């Protein structure tokens, strides 16, 4: 889906919110596993009282995660999303595991969008951050120039890379852990 069509779909979805070939690599190639994988293949997402842009970021993050073996649904329990003014923290988006299971998987993730920075972001930048933070909830770590030379993964840090997608390598890494 082109980002233009996706923006149109997000715009329609946001109205309801209230309060490049892929890398042909196996998960072992330059793996970028994060320390915490989701504890199950269905992740319930709670995102109430978000801004319109926050809702769009969640929509894109869920859309991308749903392309993997992890499925998202609206509900309470697995991924709690907030946007707010968190101050001069150095981060625009953040994902943390706030409840680790005995097997070292994550039972509950918390995703935050920092409006201190993101108020000046375009809708496309919000959607990139949503993809990136939801990628963390799928168990992905950051990508670098050596692991994403063609800038086609939203797991690259910074706003210079505006990819809204998880690339095939990202999806392979998630699927390897689910």
């Amino acid at each position: 889906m082109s980002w233009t069509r996706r923006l149109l779909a997000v715009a329609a979805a946001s109205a309801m919110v209230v309060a490049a070939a892929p890398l042909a690599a196996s998960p072992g190639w330059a793996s970028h596993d994060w320390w915490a994988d989701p504890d199950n293949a269905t992740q319930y997402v709670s995102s109430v009282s978000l801004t319109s842009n926050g809702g769009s970021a969640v929509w894109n993050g869920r859309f991308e995660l749903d392309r993997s073996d992890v499925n998202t649904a609206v509900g309470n329990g697995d991924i709690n999303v907030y946007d707010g003014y968190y101050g001069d923290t150095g981060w625009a988006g953040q994902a943390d595991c706030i409840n680790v299971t005995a097997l070292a998987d994550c039972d509950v993730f918390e995703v935050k969008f920092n409006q201190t920075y993101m108020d000046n972001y375009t809708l496309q930048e919000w959607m990139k951050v949503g993809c990136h933070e939801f990628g963390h909830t799928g168990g992905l770590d950051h990508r670098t120039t050596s692991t994403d030379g063609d800038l086609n993964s939203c797991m690259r840090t910074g706003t210079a890379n505006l990819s809204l997608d998880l690339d095939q390598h990202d999806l392979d890494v998630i699927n390897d852990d689910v």
Side-chain angles (χ1 to χ4, degrees):
M1 175 183 291
S2 72
W3 84 266
T4 306
R5 285 185 42 211
R6 188 177 301 178
L7 286 174
L8 291 173
V10 166
S14 296
M16 295 183 284
V17 175
V18 178
L23 295 174
S26 68
W29 172 82
S31 178
H32 60 286
D33 267 341
W34 201 34
W35 68 272
D37 294 321
D39 65 337
N40 57 57
T42 300
Q43 296 291 293
Y44 291 95
V45 179
S46 171
S47 56
V48 296
S49 300
L50 293 181
T51 62
S52 176
N53 284 342
S56 297
V58 168
W59 182 91
N60 193 57
R62 287 186 58 200
F63 177 86
E64 287 301 311
L65 202 54
D66 285 341
R67 293 177 49 227
S68 74
D69 289 344
V70 174
N71 298 302
T72 64
V74 174
N76 293 321
D78 296 307
I79 303 172
N80 301 314
V81 185
Y82 309 95
D83 56 10
Y85 295 94
Y86 300 107
D88 189 14
T89 59
W91 52 265
Q94 178 176 315
D96 289 310
C97 178
I98 61 172
N99 188 12
V100 181
T101 69
L103 299 174
D105 290 327
C106 189
D107 183 44
V108 180
F109 288 97
E110 183 175 82
V111 171
K112 293 180 181 176
F113 301 123
N114 189 351
Q115 290 177 261
T116 304
Y117 300 105
M118 293 183 69
D119 270 356
N120 296 318
Y121 279 22
T122 66
L123 179 58
Q124 184 178 7
E125 289 169 321
W126 274 84
M127 292 171 62
K128 187 268 185 190
V129 173
C131 175
H132 182 91
E133 299 310 328
F134 272 74
H136 286 314
T137 71
L140 299 176
D141 203 350
H142 295 137
R143 300 282 293 272
T144 64
T145 302
S146 64
T147 61
D148 182 39
D150 53 5
L151 291 173
N152 68 344
S153 169
C154 67
M155 295 311 296
R156 282 287 292 268
T157 58
T159 56
N161 167 35
L162 288 179
S163 173
L164 302 178
D165 306 312
L166 297 171
D167 70 10
Q168 189 59 52
H169 175 74
D170 298 327
L171 298 172
D172 290 345
V173 171
I174 293 171
N175 293 344
D176 189 50
D177 292 330
V178 176

